Amino acid sequence: MPAHALKRSTLLALCACVLVAQSMVAAINLLIPQLTASALHPSHTQVLWTVDAYVIVFAGLLIPAGALGDRYGRKGALLTGLALFAAGAATSALAPGPALLIAGRGLSGAGAALITPATMSILVQLAGPERRAQAMASWTLAMGLGGLAGNLGGGLVGQFLTWRALFAAMVPLAAVLAAVVAVTTPRTERSRLGSPDPVGTLLLTAGLVAVLFGIIEGPGHGWTSARILTAFGTGALLIAAFTVHARRSRAPLFDPRVFRSAGLRANTLGLATGFFGLFALFFVNSQYLQEVKGFGPALTGFAIVPLIVGMALVPKFAARWSARPRPVIGTGLALIGLGLLAASTADAHTPYALYACWLLVISAGTGLAMPALTLGVVMSLPSHRAGLGSGLGTSAREIGAALGVAVAGTALAGHADFADGMGPALRVVGTTVLAATALVVAGHRRSGSPARAARAAAGATAAAEEPVA
């Protein structure tokens, strides 16, 4: 397919879809006080599951959803995802009790799992080599803006409307996006690989869900509690079983041998690291601005807008340096870590203007690193497996995000109040980001030049796709 097949209308439609899907990860956080006081009278555990169900299903289904899009059609997967997303939102908006609200969140998460890899794979298929870096920068910007849009939308709804309005608004929005996609987005060539692997899909999805459950619920139940240890143990066993199954299957969901590529390992770790820091910041920021600075929900949503600046402007420059990913990625992730350490010094007396400067540092780091990391994951696999590459990358993001919130929450739980715990929590997160950055840079050094990394990845992928006797 020629490079000019990627039209601006298609790019905007696909980026809008992923922005909306990502926005629902963050939006609910600003509605927790209103939801707790609502007529549903949810328990603390039910509130947690209302927040977490979307993320757990979203992240758990990303890899199989991406592979299904590759095999059966990415445009069809995207339209199906938008339909599931809208159905889940309608279920949540009309829920008479917490159980149906949680079920609706999970259904929307399944829709998001189809939407996100399909949008990236379509972009990879339509963009030629000379436009791929710019397309990935736009897609990554949409992912980042989704988190910000969720904060803004959740804050406005929390200030002026009811929590049901947030879910109700998603139904017509998804319908409009589906109509735009149907008109603007062409169908792309499908992968000719074998039939789907239901056993592998079940093992991998269940394993990821168990691990995510442990990460998200660890702060509440205690990391050494029987429930959390059982979740991690079950997840590890299921993922190990998937690995054995995939090595023996004639048509696996994907073969773990793709991770022989040092570049793929480094890029997935880098994506997880960036979102680890970013979502820890989202978690702390909302409480800092409301509880310590006294901002209302709407003002809290707008106060994180400085993060937009770097995410919007820096990728345009970073795309020019796509041939030299290691310094771009290393600098970007280091800026995220340093910005978090700077933000850890904030207290009730810190001027918002100074706090906004630290947000700008984190924003610039995100704008530098994320497009290069995203492109690195996609380029580590052949173009017909772009959905799988997107699933791997986005799974890394969501796992990193869940872990960032869990680590920040655990660090905060060890202090008497939020004001005392915010600084130590952000220092733990920032230090972890810097340590992981060193590993990511070292991984890129081992992978060598981009051409050498591409050859190694292609060899690993070819070996992974050989039929097993």
Side-chain angles (χ1 to χ4, degrees), residues 32-294:
I32 290 175
Q34 189 186 100
L35 184 62
T36 302
S38 70
L40 269 61
H41 302 299
S43 66
H44 176 70
T45 300
Q46 289 170 330
V47 170
L48 283 176
W49 274 103
T50 300
V51 174
D52 295 342
Y54 185 88
V55 179
I56 288 177
V57 177
F58 183 10
L61 291 178
L62 273 166
I63 294 174
L68 285 173
D70 284 342
R71 286 163 175 164
Y72 288 118
R74 301 170 182 92
K75 183 176 180 179
L78 175 54
L79 293 173
T80 302
L82 288 168
L84 287 176
F85 182 85
T91 300
S92 295
L94 299 173
L100 207 55
L101 172 62
I102 294 168
R105 287 279 289 168
L107 185 59
S108 287
L114 285 166
I115 291 168
T116 303
T119 52
M120 182 194 282
S121 356
I122 292 171
L123 285 177
V124 170
Q125 290 287 315
L126 297 181
E130 69 280 1
R131 297 188 63 192
R132 195 164 287 152
Q134 291 84 351
M136 288 300 98
S138 298
W139 188 90
T140 304
L141 173 62
M143 286 281 288
L145 292 182
L148 299 176
N151 278 277
L152 290 172
L156 289 171
V157 170
Q159 188 81 41
F160 301 111
L161 300 171
T162 70
W163 62 268
R164 292 184 187 272
L166 174 68
F167 298 110
M170 293 299 108
V171 179
L173 180 57
V176 170
L177 288 175
V180 172
V181 166
V183 172
T184 64
T185 304
R187 295 189 181 276
T188 58
E189 184 179 356
R190 302 178 186 180
S191 169
R192 292 186 173 87
L193 296 180
S195 59
D197 176 15
V199 174
T201 297
L202 179 62
L203 288 172
L204 181 62
T205 301
L208 288 176
V209 167
V211 170
L212 284 165
F213 175 88
I215 291 172
I216 291 171
E217 298 296 330
H221 293 283
W223 293 104
T224 58
S225 67
R227 176 178 295 188
I228 300 305
L229 292 177
T230 299
F232 284 132
T234 301
L237 288 174
L238 288 170
I239 293 173
F242 166 78
T243 302
V244 173
H245 168 78
R247 293 292 300 271
R248 295 178 176 177
S249 174
R250 291 181 179 274
L253 179 66
F254 82 97
D255 195 301
R257 284 177 288 183
V258 297
F259 283 104
R260 289 175 179 172
S261 165
L264 179 59
R265 295 195 303 271
N267 286 317
T268 52
L269 175 60
L271 288 172
T273 298
F275 271 65
F276 172 84
L278 201 58
F279 273 77
L281 174 68
F282 286 152
F283 179 75
V284 170
N285 174 78
S286 174
Q287 298 176 75
Y288 168 67
L289 293 177
Q290 292 186 82
E291 297 181 18
V292 178
K293 299 294 286 183

